[in-house]
């Protein structure tokens, strides 16, 4: 698992030098949810609020994320991807899928099916947070 995590972090940097694996993950979550609060990001990923705050600030400076007032509660700021954020996320996603596809190209259909089943099983583990 450590090797897997190291490779994921390293490949994220190669695919887009300004986009860390954490940043990529946060952008993906914002796209999936069509925006959310920074505190929701911290809770979802079990990260410290200050860590998320630094990551979000960097994404804002890069023009990839913007804050919008929540229409239901004007005291709340909701994070959304900008067009630039959507564009970079799309580019990195295509690159990551190609890299995974290349790595799995010589796997048999049975191996791929078993691997997919194991990933589903791993991801279904109950969360303790």
């Amino acid at each position: 698992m450590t090797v897997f995590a190291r490779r994921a972090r390293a490949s994220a940097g190669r695919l887009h030098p300004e986009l860390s694996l954490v940043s990529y993950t946060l952008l993906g979550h914002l796209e999936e949810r069509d925006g959310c609060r920074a505190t929701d990001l911290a809770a979802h990923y079990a990260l410290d609020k200050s860590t998320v705050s630094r990551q979000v600030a960097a994404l804002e400076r890069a023009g990839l994320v913007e804050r919008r007032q929540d229409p239901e509660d004007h005291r709340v700021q909701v994070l959304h991807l900008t067009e630039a954020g959507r564009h970079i996320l799309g580019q990195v996603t295509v690159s990551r899928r190609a890299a995974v596809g290349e790595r799995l190209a010589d796997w048999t259909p049975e191996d791929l099916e078993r691997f997919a089943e194991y990933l589903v099983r791993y991801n279904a583990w109950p969360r303790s947070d």
Side-chain angles (χ1 to χ4, degrees):
M1 291 302 291
T2 302
V3 171
F4 180 80
R6 283 184 190 142
R7 284 186 176 155
R9 282 190 300 273
S11 70
R14 285 192 303 273
L15 295 173
H16 195 283
E18 293 129 34
L19 201 58
S20 71
L21 182 59
V22 172
S23 296
Y24 174 78
T25 303
L26 297 180
L27 290 177
H29 189 81
L30 291 175
E31 181 182 54
E32 251 179 50
R33 301 273 192 254
D34 194 27
C36 70
R37 299 174 306 162
T39 54
D40 296 331
L41 286 172
H44 181 78
Y45 290 106
L47 294 170
D48 186 76
K49 289 178 187 176
S50 64
T51 300
V52 171
S53 179
R54 283 190 301 275
Q55 290 289 328
V56 167
L59 292 170
E60 283 182 297
R61 282 191 303 275
L64 305 179
V65 169
E66 64 185 1
R67 292 176 191 267
R68 296 184 202 156
Q69 196 172 53
D70 186 331
E72 295 175 19
D73 184 347
H74 295 288
R75 298 169 297 168
V76 175
Q77 297 285 309
V78 179
L79 301 168
H80 289 275
L81 294 181
T82 63
E83 283 305 311
R86 288 186 192 287
H87 180 74
I88 285 180
L89 181 63
Q91 284 181 324
V92 174
T93 298
V94 167
S95 297
R96 292 190 86 189
R97 285 183 180 158
V100 169
E102 189 177 310
R103 182 158 229 168
L104 301 177
D106 63 347
W107 287 33
T108 66
E110 294 80 17
D111 286 343
L112 290 171
E113 190 173 317
R114 196 168 27 251
F115 183 57
E117 288 170 1
Y118 291 150
L119 286 173
V120 168
R121 182 175 162 192
Y122 180 83
N123 287 326
W125 182 263
R127 296 181 66 144
S128 61
D129 52 7

